[in-house]
Amino acid sequence: MSDKKDLCLLALPIEVIFHILDELDEFTIIFYVRNVCTQLKTITDTYYEYQSFTELAIEDRNLDEEKMQFLAQSLKDNTLVKTLILAWNRFYGVGIQYLTDAIKINRTLTTLDFRSNAIGDHEAQSIGNILLVNTTLMTLHLHTNEMSNRGIHYLANALEHNTTLTTLSLYNNKINIQSSTYLANVLQNNTTITMLYLCNNKLGAQETKHLADGLKTNRTVQELHIVDNEINNLGTKYLADALENNSTLTILDLENNSIRDEGIQYLAKIFKNNTTLTTLDLGNNTIGFNGIKYLTDSLQEDTALSILNLYNNYIGSTGARYLAKILRINKVKLTVLHLGSNHIGIEGISDLAIAIGNNTTLTSLNLERNQLLSEGAKYLADALKTNTTLVTLHLGENNIGDAGIECLAQALKINNTLTTLTLDHNRIQFQGAFDFANALQNNKTLKSLDLDYKEMVAEEAQYFARTSRKIKTLTTLLSYHIQADTCNTYNHPQYGIGQCINQSECPNALYLSGLCESKPSNIQCCFSVEPMKEEFRAIWIATVTNIDWPSSGTASPAQQQSELLDILNKVQELNMNAVVFQVRPASDALYFSALEPWSYYLTGKHGVAPSPFWDPLAFIVNEAHKRNIEVHAWLNPYRARTAGATYALASTNMAKRFPQYAYTYGQYIWMDPGATEVQQFTVNVTEDIVTRYAVDGIHIDDYFYPYSDGTEFPDAATYAAYQAQGGHLNKSDWRRSNVNTLIQSMYTRIHAVRPKVKFGISPFGIWKSGIPAGISGLSSYDELYCDSRMWLEEGLLDYMTPQLYWAIDPPAQSYPVLLNWWLQQSAKGRHVYAGNAAYKMTQGTVQWDAHEIVRQINITRSMQDRLALGNVFFSTKEIMRNAKGIQSELAILYKKKAIIPKMKWL
């Protein structure tokens, strides 16, 4: 016989189980039955005959009284069973009475799991009776049941006298103020419970206060898990007061509550005297860099803290610097640090990486879902060359490209400690795959590597599959397509679905080996190789006044997310490849920002964060990239409040920061484009987005100086100050110069931070009335003071999307005439993506049919050789509503996928 000690019998036929049991004499048995309890009498007879079971797990969802009676009888006589799991069975009433009578007699059971049943107050009373007489039970799971205050009271009374139970889980039982007082009494009087789970019970400040009162005198609880509740700053204060002098607690888990910086200030005082707390979990709260400062300042050299989880907060680069300080000097002996999804940018990663290079205690670091990019990966690669303790590193979803992957590969040639590395959902292409795979052949420690990314093309998958076989230490390689056994499971991002056919039948197409491994060697994965079209296919998602999204500022975050996913799914379905997402409609933010207030159009209150907290820009970037869709963040440079809006401005709105440059113009509040402070602030906002989010582009529209209401824009004082400093331009040229300065500064700053991020502008479609000949209308050069032709001529942008919101035929604003003129201005080869008025299918006195849009797309395509490389539709709602059947027309036009046009200058 083997020396293995555990064997799980998982829903096997009874006759097979009999045969196995007859052959075994050295195994302890875990008997696991799911949805087969129609034979429960036979199973329990088997269980009774073979007394070697140590764990019995039954998930039937129909465990009636008769079956419970069979089960109870077997438990009365069994002398070896230690664990009984009866989860998800919905049993109640007489059935549980049979069971509790048996457990009172049983003298071996140590773990009882009744999660997700229908246990109410009566059943809780029966379980309480078990606790009063049973002398072996140590672990009790009762989460997701239906107990009220009375049921909790029964349990609490029993627990005050029980002397064996060490672990109690009451997850998801709707514990309220009254129930929490009963549990507080348990904490004060029970002398054995060491682990308490109260997750997902909607515990607020008052309930937390009662529990804290119990913890003040408790000297046994070592693990306290209060995840998924509603503990706010005040609740945190109550806990901190109770735990300040506690000498037993080792694990405090407060993940997914409503704790902010003020709450961390309270919590931090625990560490001034505490020498036992080893694990602190604060993931998924709303902690910023100030909270991290409070925490790091409080940590003493004799602090026992070794595991710190701050996943999905908002510590940013500043918070990362505070953490880097304690890592660099080894002040605290942290071994595990989880900083995933914290908006940490390049500067924060740089400081962290330097600290990690010198740290001698950290073994596990999670930085997934930040904005490391290739530059951040380079810093971490340098750290890996000198660090001697790190064994686990998570870098998934960080938009790391080949340059960063190459640096990591070189570091792995030197590093001799790392065993687990995750790089899922980055941007690994063939060269990166090649470098990385070669580096791994020399690495002697890596055991687990996760490269899972649905966009990994077959060439990379094939190369990794071959190379991984040469890496003797690698035991786990995670990538969907490396593991594919037929090429029909692999969707090549450029060539689509392949077919496993004879190689000789695929002479003029691409074929790849390693994807049809279950076939004979002459059978290969064949793709039809037709060069994919380069075409920008995008929609504007307008958030101002909730034009496109969200449907309402009062809609729940879950509904808003669902709406956003509907849009992305439709974009993907129609083989479009980009969205222009409005993130700054009026000196506000539809993303987490330390510079500007939350948008009124997101939450219904200017400056108020969404609750539950979420970040729309981070969400759409993540979800769009999963679908091969680019995200261009759309900003309005100068608008501080929109027409008709009446909400009060938050203190961080630009009009409040620079009130001397904020003017009421018509129904708007508009910032002065001539103020250097205003220009610089807009550039800073742009840099913040590019640094912290993996956006593919930055986009601004036609609002520079406002459209005239017939009155003079009130910037006389700013112009006078300019003249006083020796300026000689007339007022109109000065205004255009102000706008040009902003454009130049944005373009320069964007590419200094992330050279591959595209900068696009969508100006009003007519530069000057009368140019080209026959065109008439508003002159953006004279009315909005934007010299958009110069931007295109000088290459101060990467693409232009002139708003050609007119039909094809009227000569005064002819779509093809205007598009042709804009193409002629692109002296430096910048792309032109036409802006199309899809909204005119539902608005205006003369509404278009969908065929007008079809004709415009075809006209754009006819000028492709002159850099007319796509179309952007305003707005999303016409596409989503399928106005005039536009979806069917686009499905025909966009039948085949297209890739984003390549910009050779980037």
Side-chain angles (χ1 to χ4, degrees):
M1 288 293 295
S2 166
D3 60 357
K4 185 177 179 183
K5 298 301 181 185
D6 296 293
L7 180 65
C8 178
L9 304 182
L10 178 59
L12 296 174
I14 294 302
E15 59 273 13
V16 176
I17 291 175
F18 275 135
H19 178 73
I20 293 174
L21 291 174
D22 284 336
E23 297 297 323
L24 299 180
D25 56 6
E26 298 180 16
F27 284 69
T28 56
I29 309 299
I30 300 172
F31 194 166
Y32 194 152
V33 184
R34 175 179 291 163
N35 295 329
V36 294
C37 287
T38 53
Q39 304 181 72
L40 187 59
K41 185 178 187 306
T42 310
I43 290 171
T44 51
D45 286 345
T46 304
Y47 184 76
Y48 177 77
E49 180 177 348
Y50 297 92
Q51 297 275 311
S52 54
F53 297 106
T54 60
E55 178 175 325
L56 176 61
I58 297 177
E59 301 171 10
D60 182 41
R61 301 181 188 275
N62 187 28
L63 199 55
D64 57 25
E65 292 179 11
E66 183 181 6
K67 295 172 184 176
M68 289 288 281
Q69 190 173 14
F70 294 148
L71 179 61
Q73 183 59 46
S74 64
L75 281 174
K76 286 181 181 180
D77 302 313
N78 183 279
T79 58
L80 289 178
V81 67
K82 294 180 180 180
T83 301
L84 177 61
I85 301 174
L86 297 176
W88 300 286
N89 278 292
R90 309 297 296 171
F91 60 74
Y92 55 89
V94 177
I96 197 169
Q97 190 62 54
Y98 291 138
L99 197 59
T100 54
D101 289 344
I103 295 172
K104 288 178 186 178
I105 298 172
N106 182 283
R107 291 292 179 267
T108 58
L109 195 66
T110 61
T111 299
L112 186 57
D113 188 341
F114 284 166
R115 77 187 76 181
S116 296
N117 282 287
I119 293 174
D121 295 341
H122 176 72
E123 291 80 9
Q125 186 175 19
S126 298
I127 293 171
N129 291 335
I130 294 175
L131 295 173
L132 288 173
V133 298
N134 183 282
T135 59
T136 59
L137 199 62
M138 300 174 65
T139 302
L140 178 60
H141 296 283
L142 292 174
H143 48 279
T144 314
N145 279 288
E146 299 171 3
M147 289 175 285
S148 69
N149 289 337
R150 179 178 296 179
I152 298 292
H153 194 194
Y154 290 140
L155 283 175
N157 284 339
L159 287 169
E160 288 186 48
H161 300 91
N162 180 278
T163 59
T164 60
L165 200 71
T166 60
T167 301
L168 175 63
S169 174
L170 292 172
Y171 178 102
N172 196 21
N173 270 290
K174 300 179 182 178
I175 295 172
N176 58 24
I177 293 176
Q178 187 61 53
S179 306
S180 63
T181 61
Y182 300 143
L183 291 173
N185 291 334
V186 173
L187 291 172
Q188 289 172 349
N189 298 308
N190 182 282
T191 59
T192 58
I193 293 179
T194 60
M195 289 182 281
L196 181 60
Y197 295 81
L198 298 173
C199 313
N200 197 22
N201 272 294
K202 299 189 181 299
L203 300 181
Q206 195 58 44
E207 291 86 353
T208 306
K209 182 178 186 302
H210 291 152
L211 291 171
D213 289 342
L215 287 169
K216 285 179 181 178
T217 57
N218 182 279
R219 293 294 179 269
T220 59
V221 173
Q222 298 175 20
E223 294 188 22
L224 181 59
H225 300 267
I226 317 181
V227 178
D228 287 313
N229 281 285
E230 298 173 1
I231 299 174
N232 56 16
N233 292 335
L234 183 58
T236 309
K237 182 180 184 302
Y238 294 138
L239 276 176
D241 289 342
L243 296 173
E244 187 172 3
N245 297 307
N246 182 284
S247 59
T248 58
L249 196 68
T250 60
I251 296 176
L252 179 58
D253 187 352
L254 296 172
E255 187 177 359
N256 200 19
N257 280 282
S258 302
I259 302 171
R260 298 176 183 266
D261 289 351
E262 182 184 351
I264 299 303
Q265 187 174 17
Y266 296 131
L267 202 61
K269 68 181 182 180
I270 294 176
F271 293 102
K272 292 182 179 179
N273 300 313
N274 185 287
T275 58
T276 60
L277 195 66
T278 61
T279 301
L280 180 60
D281 191 338
L282 295 169
N284 205 24
N285 280 281
T286 318
I287 302 167
F289 62 83
N290 283 326
I292 300 305
K293 186 176 189 306
Y294 295 138
L295 185 62
T296 54
D297 285 350
S298 71
L299 297 176
Q300 307 300 312
E301 289 188 7
D302 61 348
T303 298
L305 190 67
S306 64
I307 299 174
L308 179 59
N309 181 4
L310 293 165
Y311 175 78
N312 198 23
N313 281 281
Y314 292 86
I315 71 171
S317 288
T318 303
R321 291 193 197 103
Y322 293 134
L323 289 166
K325 182 178 179 181
I326 64 170
L327 289 173
R328 186 164 52 248
I329 62 177
N330 289 296
K331 177 181 178 182
V332 180
K333 305 301 186 288
L334 283 179
T335 59
V336 178
L337 181 59
H338 195 336
L339 297 176
S341 195
N342 261 293
H343 299 270
I344 300 174
I346 301 300
E347 293 178 0
I349 293 300
S350 173
D351 285 359
L352 270 177
I354 294 171
I356 292 164
N358 299 321
N359 182 274
T360 58
T361 62
L362 200 65
T363 61
S364 178
L365 177 64
N366 189 323
L367 288 167
E368 65 187 18
R369 296 184 182 180
N370 283 286
Q371 303 298 329
L372 305 192
L373 312 175
S374 288
E375 186 176 352
K378 293 176 185 177
Y379 291 130
L380 288 170
D382 289 340
L384 288 176
K385 292 176 182 178
T386 57
N387 181 280
T388 59
T389 58
L390 203 64
V391 296
T392 301
L393 181 60
H394 298 281
L395 298 176
E397 297 186 52
N398 267 295
N399 209 33
I400 299 172
D402 279 0
I405 295 299
E406 181 180 2
C407 291
L408 288 170
Q410 296 304 315
L412 287 174
K413 290 181 179 179
I414 301 171
N415 180 278
N416 59 8
T417 61
L418 204 67
T419 63
T420 299
L421 177 62
T422 63
L423 288 164
D424 56 294
H425 295 84
N426 280 287
R427 298 281 179 142
I428 303 173
Q429 298 179 1
F430 184 77
Q431 188 60 48
F434 181 85
D435 293 337
F436 206 76
N438 283 332
L440 287 178
Q441 294 182 59
N442 298 315
N443 182 282
K444 300 184 185 308
T445 59
L446 199 65
K447 295 181 179 179
S448 178
L449 176 63
D450 185 351
L451 296 164
D452 174 25
Y453 190 29
K454 69 179 182 179
E455 294 177 18
M456 179 177 275
V457 300
E459 291 93 334
E460 290 111 58
Q462 176 189 353
Y463 194 84
F464 262 103
R466 288 201 308 267
T467 307
S468 65
R469 299 187 185 104
K470 303 175 184 178
I471 307 168
K472 295 180 179 180
T473 59
L474 197 62
T475 58
T476 305
L477 180 61
L478 300 177
S479 176
Y480 286 143
H481 305 310
I482 293 173
Q483 296 176 351
D485 58 359
T486 69
C487 76
N488 287 330
T489 65
Y490 178 73
N491 189 354
H492 195 292
Q494 187 168 353
Y495 304 124
I497 299 293
Q499 287 184 309
C500 287
I501 62 174
N502 193 305
Q503 181 177 325
S504 63
E505 298 175 11
C506 191
N508 299 316
L510 171 71
Y511 66 87
L512 296 169
S513 60
L515 294 176
C516 298
E517 294 179 0
S518 62
K519 308 291 183 181
S521 59
N522 65 319
I523 300 296
Q524 302 292 353
C525 190
C526 179
F527 299 89
S528 175
V529 180
E530 179 181 342
M532 187 172 285
K533 186 180 186 67
E534 291 188 25
E535 186 174 38
F536 194 75
R537 304 169 178 176
I539 54 173
W540 276 291
I541 304 177
T543 59
V544 63
T545 67
N546 302 108
I547 290 175
D548 292 320
W549 180 90
S551 59
S552 167
T554 59
S556 69
Q559 180 181 338
Q560 293 178 348
Q561 290 171 18
S562 177
E563 293 170 358
L564 210 48
L565 289 175
D566 286 344
I567 292 172
L568 293 176
N569 289 336
K570 181 57 66 176
V571 169
Q572 182 183 33
E573 176 189 325
L574 293 174
N575 282 335
M576 302 174 80
N577 52 25
V579 294
V580 183
F581 181 57
Q582 191 174 31
V583 299
R584 191 196 194 223
S587 184
D588 52 4
L590 281 96
Y591 61 96
F592 174 74
S593 173
L595 299 177
E596 296 195 292
W598 285 99
S599 176
Y600 169 84
Y601 303 112
L602 179 68
T603 67
K605 294 181 180 179
H606 191 56
V608 176
S611 180
F613 196 90
W614 74 297
D615 186 324
L617 181 54
F619 180 85
I620 195 172
V621 167
N622 182 47
E623 292 296 333
H625 286 172
K626 290 179 183 177
R627 295 163 172 80
N628 275 341
I629 297 169
E630 284 198 348
V631 177
H632 294 226
W634 167 15
L635 290 73
N636 293 85
Y638 299 117
R639 189 167 58 202
R641 193 169 70 186
T642 55
T646 58
Y647 56 79
L649 298 180
S651 60
T652 49
N653 183 285
M654 198 157 46
K656 290 292 187 179
R657 287 183 182 270
F658 310 109
Q660 69 275 33
Y661 301 124
Y663 309 139
T664 298
Y665 187 74
Q667 297 184 55
Y668 293 93
I669 296 178
W670 209 272
M671 302 307 296
D672 190 339
T676 302
E677 296 96 322
V678 171
Q679 295 174 11
Q680 186 58 51
F681 188 76
T682 299
V683 173
N684 291 345
V685 169
T686 304
E687 180 180 11
D688 178 55
I689 293 172
V690 173
T691 299
R692 294 193 296 113
Y693 295 88
V695 295
D696 303 284
I698 293 292
H699 184 100
I700 55 177
D701 57 20
D702 53 319
Y703 286 94
F704 297 100
Y705 281 83
Y707 286 86
S708 176
D709 67 355
T711 64
E712 179 71 6
F713 185 71
D715 59 351
T718 315
Y719 182 57
Y722 160 76
Q723 290 179 311
Q725 294 173 358
H728 299 292
L729 294 176
N730 64 44
K731 196 170 190 179
S732 293
D733 287 341
W734 169 74
R735 286 176 173 173
R736 277 185 286 273
S737 175
N738 294 332
V739 176
N740 291 342
T741 298
L742 175 73
I743 299 302
Q744 175 73 66
S745 298
M746 290 182 70
Y747 184 78
T748 302
R749 188 75 66 86
I750 289 167
H751 291 115
V753 175
R754 284 178 57 202
K756 296 294 184 181
V757 172
K758 301 152 190 170
F759 180 43
I761 306 176
S762 54
F764 184 76
I766 298 174
W767 177 63
K768 278 187 178 180
S769 187
I771 299 177
I775 294 296
S776 64
L778 183 143
S779 172
S780 60
Y781 181 87
D782 299 304
E783 298 289 337
L784 305 179
Y785 303 99
C786 58
D787 192 352
S788 44
R789 180 175 74 170
M790 186 272 287
W791 308 335
L792 191 55
E793 286 177 336
E794 297 297 323
L796 297 181
L797 41 67
D798 298 307
Y799 70 89
M800 180 167 279
T801 303
Q803 297 177 15
L804 304 182
Y805 291 171
W806 300 281
I808 294 169
D809 300 323
Q813 298 94 27
S814 170
Y815 178 90
V817 172
L818 283 167
L819 177 58
N820 180 63
W821 181 85
W822 282 107
L823 294 172
Q824 292 171 358
Q825 314 314 310
S826 186
K828 295 201 172 182
R830 298 303 193 249
H831 295 175
V832 176
Y833 310 142
N836 303 85
Y839 71 92
K840 288 196 172 181
M841 292 186 292
T842 60
Q843 301 177 36
T845 54
V846 179
Q847 296 182 0
W848 296 355
D849 60 27
H851 189 58
E852 175 69 29
I853 299 295
V854 172
R855 291 174 64 203
Q856 291 185 5
I857 294 172
N858 285 328
I859 286 171
T860 305
R861 286 176 165 179
S862 71
M863 303 181 187
Q864 182 177 359
D865 60 334
R866 289 185 289 142
L867 300 177
L869 296 175
N871 300 83
V872 187
F873 304 101
F874 188 86
S875 67
T876 295
K877 66 182 179 182
E878 274 70 36
I879 307 298
M880 296 301 293
R881 294 173 182 174
N882 195 24
K884 305 293 179 67
I886 187 62
Q887 290 182 14
S888 298
E889 299 293 349
L890 291 177
I892 295 171
L893 287 165
Y894 296 157
K895 183 177 180 180
K896 294 184 178 180
K897 293 181 180 181
I899 59 175
I900 299 290
K902 297 180 180 65
M903 296 179 175
K904 297 179 181 179
W905 60 93
L906 291 183

